[in-house]
Amino acid sequence: MQAVQASGTTAGQRRTTIASIAAAALLVALKLGTGLATGSLGLVSAGIESSGDVVAAVLTFFAVRLGGRPADRGHPYGHRRAENLAALGESAILIGGALLVGVEAIRHLIEGRGPPALHWFQFAVIGAALLVDASRVVVSLRAARRYGSPALRANALHFGADMLGSVVVLAGLLATDAGFRQGDAVAALLVGGIILMAAGRLLGENANVLMDRTPADARAAAESAIERLGGGIELSRLRLRESAGRFFADVVVSVPGGQALVEGHQAADLVEQAVERALPGSDVVVHVEPRRAGLDLRDRALAIALAEPLVKEAHDITVFEQGDTASISLHLKFPDELDLATAHEVAERVEQAIRARPGVGDVQTHLEPLERPLQARPAAGDGEAATLRAVRELVRARTGEDPERVRLLSTDSGEVVFLTLAGRAGDSLTAAHDLAGHLEDELRKQIPGLADVVIHTEP
């Protein structure tokens, strides 16, 4: 689908460029022919400017064809910068034309040459040129916005300069008709200046793109979009490069070190979507790193523990504050087949790294094997009914309400109770956890043989 869209885009750009070439060739013939026939330097200068546009439009045509090629092994960012190169070529042509016109106009003024002969068809040619230029500006601007093409945008700028030049030539001829003998030469000199300014602007814009200079507004938009994400995502580095109106972004963000891989991937997706919204059509690559700064002591301890490949899980991290120092305890889970010596070496490294943090006085780790999957089956018989009845009675006595759901599984290690409770409105998480802890202890005391109790509390 994207290939079809790209093909349609390139075809549309080609049609626009071919129309520009035809229009520019017509204007060259009209302006140069009339200017040479009547001796009007203003019309000749306008014709030279338009002839430069013919060459520039031809360059644009071939640049658009090359820029429409898809990315390949040698050009992973595509070929669209061919349009920027073509725009530099156009600016060089314009500068050459401006210098030629300017030198000739100054020579006319110094030598005091007489004014050109005035005829009605000179004004008709200028009027026709203004109409053609106006149509070219409108068509090129629409196409440039639609296809995001700097080459077509450059053409629109040139055509706008042509219009201004035609207006100046018209003013020069009117001034000559009013008795100002050098009006035509002055108009030619002004046209040269207009061409030079347009070429300078075009040169600067495309040179900055080829030098990978990031537009300040584009960078600010991308940074703002990432900062608004929140969620612990912090921008570490942003690099933008533009290619024919399309941005390629390399983004490095940091997230809390304890986040799982899935959470880090989700953060990368959010960053990518945010940049694409800020800079439509951009290609974004996001690299996620664990954050090293701005973490509290618990998060830092978690990040240090999970940085060890053999540590599969870290939990029950507790910080004991004692004046200006703190002691930290945490549980580390390792693969169950790992030997104690290796697990101890890893734990020692974790303890040493945490102990090196400012304000940490002591670190104690508890080593656990990672649980293997258990074979379970639904409990059955009189024992199941008695256990479920005992669970419901204990919950009712402790909370005043029946549990929302009770399920019992039987494993080789004993029975496992899955219990769902309804909390009270306004209860804190701490209160709900305390209630679940008390119920778990009471269930273990009153129902022998329970291997585990899993309590879920809902608001």
Side-chain angles (χ1 to χ4, degrees):
M1 183 66 180
Q2 290 180 346
V4 173
Q5 291 176 342
S7 176
T9 296
T10 303
Q13 289 176 286
R14 289 176 186 171
R15 288 193 296 270
T16 302
T17 305
I18 291 173
S20 297
I21 293 173
L26 175 63
L27 289 182
V28 168
L30 287 175
K31 293 178 181 179
L32 276 181
T34 304
L36 292 173
T38 60
S40 170
L41 182 59
L43 278 172
V44 171
S45 66
I48 292 174
E49 179 186 7
S50 295
S51 65
D53 285 347
V54 172
V55 179
V58 171
L59 286 177
T60 300
F61 175 74
F62 289 108
V64 166
R65 291 191 63 182
L66 178 59
R69 294 181 182 177
D72 55 34
R73 189 178 186 88
H75 304 84
Y77 293 99
H79 298 77
R80 298 189 69 186
R81 283 197 172 180
E83 298 188 30
N84 300 107
L85 286 173
L88 286 183
E90 293 179 41
S91 63
I93 293 170
L94 289 174
I95 290 174
L99 293 176
L100 180 62
V101 168
V103 169
E104 191 63 26
I106 292 173
R107 183 181 300 170
H108 272 241
L109 291 173
I110 292 175
E111 294 177 359
R113 298 182 184 179
L118 298 180
H119 303 278
W120 65 270
F121 53 82
Q122 292 169 305
F123 297 96
V125 167
I126 294 175
L130 286 172
L131 289 176
V132 173
D133 284 335
S135 65
R136 290 197 301 171
V137 168
V138 172
V139 171
S140 293
L141 280 178
R142 286 178 178 174
R145 293 192 189 103
R146 182 177 180 181
Y147 305 123
S149 170
L152 292 177
R153 189 164 52 247
N155 275 351
L157 179 63
H158 297 165
F159 302 151
D162 282 353
M163 284 187 65
L164 182 57
S166 297
V167 171
V168 171
V169 171
L170 177 61
L173 291 177
L174 291 174
T176 301
D177 189 46
F180 180 48
R181 292 174 56 84
Q182 302 298 330
D184 185 61
V186 172
L189 187 60
L190 291 175
V191 169
I194 292 170
I195 300 172
L196 198 61
M197 286 190 295
R201 179 181 175 184
L202 186 62
L203 182 66
E205 287 181 356
N206 288 277
N208 282 334
V209 171
L210 293 173
M211 290 295 293
D212 283 330
R213 181 175 180 180
T214 303
D217 54 347
R219 182 178 184 85
E223 289 177 344
S224 178
I226 296 172
E227 288 171 359
R228 286 196 299 269
L229 290 176
I233 299 173
E234 290 187 0
L235 178 62
S236 299
R237 188 186 73 195
L238 172 63
R239 295 192 301 187
L240 287 176
R241 70 192 304 266
E242 185 181 2
S243 178
R246 185 184 184 191
F247 289 96
F248 293 86
D250 294 326
V251 187
V252 177
V253 295
S254 61
V255 298
Q259 280 195 357
L261 175 61
V262 172
E263 293 175 296
H265 186 266
Q266 290 173 343
D269 286 343
L270 290 174
V271 171
E272 182 176 344
Q273 293 165 10
V275 175
E276 288 177 346
R277 284 193 299 268
L279 305 173
S282 57
D283 187 300
V284 187
V285 177
V286 183
H287 175 68
V288 181
E289 295 180 341
R291 193 187 310 157
R292 304 299 182 187
L295 299 176
D296 60 25
L297 193 52
R298 184 190 180 283
D299 285 339
R300 191 174 295 281
L302 178 60
I304 291 172
L306 294 180
E308 288 285 346
L310 288 176
V311 175
K312 301 304 179 182
E313 184 181 319
H315 64 99
D316 287 351
I317 302 175
T318 306
V319 179
F320 302 92
E321 295 180 343
Q322 302 165 294
D324 294 334
T325 62
S327 297
I328 298 177
S329 67
L330 67 160
H331 292 214
L332 304 179
K333 286 193 174 184
F334 298 88
D336 62 345
E337 71 275 6
L338 192 68
D339 61 277
L340 177 60
T342 303
H344 181 265
E345 289 177 6
V346 174
E348 285 288 317
R349 288 200 299 269
V350 171
E351 291 181 9
Q352 185 178 3
I354 296 175
R355 199 177 291 114
R357 306 309 307 170
V360 177
D362 186 41
V363 181
Q364 182 78 23
T365 57
H366 173 71
L367 313 186
E368 302 177 15
L370 195 64
E371 296 86 352
R372 286 186 174 183
L374 296 177
Q375 297 297 321
R377 55 195 176 276
D382 296 338
E384 177 196 13
T387 300
L388 292 176
R389 184 168 53 253
V391 170
R392 290 191 178 96
E393 289 176 355
L394 192 150
V395 171
R396 192 181 305 114
R398 183 70 175 80
T399 66
E401 297 180 1
D402 287 330
E404 289 196 352
R405 184 167 178 259
V406 181
R407 188 161 64 101
L408 191 64
L409 288 181
S410 181
T411 71
D412 293 338
S413 302
E415 292 180 320
V416 179
V417 174
F418 293 89
L419 180 61
T420 301
L421 302 177
R424 290 171 296 195
D427 274 358
S428 66
L429 177 61
T430 300
H433 181 265
D434 288 343
L435 172 62
H438 292 315
L439 280 174
E440 182 178 345
D441 291 340
E442 293 181 25
L443 286 168
R444 289 180 182 276
K445 290 177 183 178
Q446 297 190 22
I447 304 176
L450 285 183
D452 199 5
V453 179
V454 181
I455 300 178
H456 173 70
T457 306
E458 294 184 345

